[in-house]
């Protein structure tokens, strides 16, 4: 354990410069918005290990535990946590800290955590064990199926482009780092996220400027049904999936009279 110094202060300053405004969209409830970075830095600071010749090793695994009811909301912002972990990695290395693995921030839930609260723990991964020459690691078998994914799910983008939904988490927006990139100036850089849970896709608004509309109704999150029409910016996406039920949702026609908020539909939620 070491105390905070100028190097760690610079890491904290970088996190605040890049993420403090974005975190206003993430945290609600009991803790002030700025405390997540404080708590993350405290966890890092109090778990740094000093070795020989003052060689410092920083924790590379952060566990963020939330209540079960809050977990889906936090999962919608996992991409921000991943970006924070990447910033910790790059900035801390510049400041002379080493890691045994690339840092990650993992979400977990526990019934012991109150609604709108969280806890953070930090760990240093164990050192790699050198295997003897005669040892052979059995290759990991690829997971060819994901039990959480619905069968045959896809989006029809703009009435013509088919986008198969083969991943359990799909980020949608105007920025090139998204999985599904929409060339629409009315779409925010990080606009929406699809997450597969129990063989259904749930769509989350991740702080967009223009909002997410399902069949003409503005939503923060919604479980998608076969035939739902999603409006992001001025781009229509139709959700399609295989169904074993006798009842199927009818694809709604686009009337062009969707509910609007009157907000400026350009730009990113972070400003």
């Amino acid at each position: 354990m070491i105390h905070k110094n100028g190097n760690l202060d610079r890491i904290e300053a970088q996190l605040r410069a890049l993420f403090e405004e974005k975190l206003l969209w993430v945290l609600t409830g009991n803790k002030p918005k700025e405390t997540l970075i404080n708590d993350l830095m405290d966890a890092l600071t109090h778990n740094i290990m000093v070795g020989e010749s003052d060689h410092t090793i920083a924790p590379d695994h952060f566990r963020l535990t939330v209540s079960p009811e809050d977990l889906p909301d936090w999962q919608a912002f996992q991409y921000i946590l991943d970006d924070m972990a990447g910033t910790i990695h790059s900035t801390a290395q510049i400041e002379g800290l080493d890691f045994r693995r690339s840092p990650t921030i993992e979400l977990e839930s526990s019934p012991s955590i109150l609604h709108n609260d969280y806890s953070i723990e930090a760990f240093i991964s164990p050192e790699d064990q050198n295997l003897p020459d005669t040892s052979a690691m059995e290759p990991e078998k690829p997971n060819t199926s994901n039990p959480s994914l619905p069968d045959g799910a896809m989006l029809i983008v703009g009435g013509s482009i088919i986008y198969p939904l083969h991943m359990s988490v799909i980020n949608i927006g105007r920025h090139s780092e998204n999985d599904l990139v929409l060339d629409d100036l009315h779409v925010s850089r990080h606009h929406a996220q699809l997450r597969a849970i129990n063989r259904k896709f749930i769509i989350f608004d991740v702080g967009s400027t223009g909002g997410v509309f399902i069949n003409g109704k503005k939503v923060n999150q919604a479980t998608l049904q076969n035939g739902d029409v999603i409006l992001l910016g001025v781009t229509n996406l139709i959700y399609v999936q295989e169904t074993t039920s006798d009842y199927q949702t009818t694809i709604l026609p686009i009337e062009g009279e969707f509910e609007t908020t009157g907000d400026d539909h350009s730009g990113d939620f972070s400003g």
Side-chain angles (χ1 to χ4, degrees):
M1 166 184 163
I2 66 173
H3 298 290
K4 287 183 72 172
N5 56 28
N7 296 31
L8 297 176
D9 287 339
R10 284 188 287 272
I11 298 171
E12 182 175 338
Q14 181 75 349
L15 287 174
R16 292 195 183 283
L18 295 176
F19 298 104
E20 198 161 46
E21 187 174 352
K22 290 185 178 182
L23 295 180
L24 294 176
W25 292 93
V26 181
L27 288 176
T28 58
N30 297 340
K31 293 197 174 186
K33 308 295 188 281
E34 66 272 10
T35 61
L36 179 60
I37 292 176
N38 292 346
D39 295 340
L40 191 63
M41 288 302 304
D42 285 345
L44 185 150
T45 301
H46 290 88
N47 289 277
I48 289 176
M49 185 173 66
V50 180
E52 298 178 359
S53 303
D54 292 330
H55 177 64
T56 55
I57 300 175
D60 52 68
H61 182 71
F62 298 87
R63 181 185 298 150
L64 177 58
T65 307
V66 301
S67 69
E69 63 184 308
D70 291 335
L71 182 61
D73 292 333
W74 278 95
Q75 287 175 327
F77 293 93
Q78 178 69 57
Y79 74 94
I80 294 181
L81 300 179
D82 293 341
D83 287 348
M84 292 179 72
T87 299
I88 290 172
H89 190 202
S90 59
T91 310
Q93 286 186 316
I94 293 173
E95 298 300 333
L97 298 179
D98 288 330
F99 299 90
R100 288 179 176 167
R101 305 279 191 280
S102 295
T104 58
I105 302 176
E106 174 192 21
L107 281 170
E108 288 191 359
S109 67
S110 170
S112 64
I113 303 295
L114 297 177
H115 175 48
N116 288 331
D117 205 350
Y118 63 82
S119 69
I120 296 181
E121 301 169 278
F123 308 92
I124 295 176
S125 295
E127 291 186 89
D128 291 329
Q129 299 297 320
N130 293 325
L131 296 175
D133 293 340
T134 55
S135 298
M137 295 182 64
E138 184 177 348
E140 183 178 351
K141 296 180 180 179
N143 182 13
T144 56
S145 64
N146 188 328
S148 69
L149 288 173
D151 294 329
M154 67 183 73
L155 290 173
I156 302 175
V157 183
S160 60
I161 300 173
I162 296 177
Y163 184 87
L165 303 177
H166 292 161
M167 299 183 294
S168 59
V169 177
I170 297 168
N171 293 306
I172 305 173
R174 187 162 43 87
H175 197 284
S176 60
E177 70 185 18
N178 289 284
D179 303 299
L180 174 55
V181 179
L182 299 180
D183 186 15
D184 178 346
L185 292 178
H186 298 291
V187 170
S188 295
R189 290 189 294 171
H190 300 285
H191 199 112
Q193 183 184 81
L194 294 178
R195 184 171 290 272
I197 301 175
N198 296 327
R199 300 184 69 79
K200 292 181 179 293
F201 269 108
I202 300 176
I203 190 168
F204 297 88
D205 186 332
V206 295
S208 69
T209 300
V212 173
F213 294 83
I214 306 294
N215 302 326
K217 181 180 179 181
K218 189 175 183 180
V219 300
N220 290 321
Q221 68 181 67
T223 300
L224 294 176
Q225 305 295 329
N226 183 43
D228 279 346
V229 179
I230 306 164
L231 178 66
L232 306 181
V234 295
T235 301
N236 295 313
L237 305 94
I238 299 175
Y239 176 74
V240 180
Q241 72 174 69
E242 294 180 7
T243 176
T244 57
S245 170
D246 293 333
Y247 173 79
Q248 296 187 25
T249 302
T250 302
I251 295 178
L252 299 179
I254 308 223
E255 302 288 348
E257 294 292 332
F258 286 92
E259 175 185 350
T260 61
T261 63
D263 296 335
D264 180 9
H265 288 261
S266 63
D268 186 2
F269 73 86
S270 62

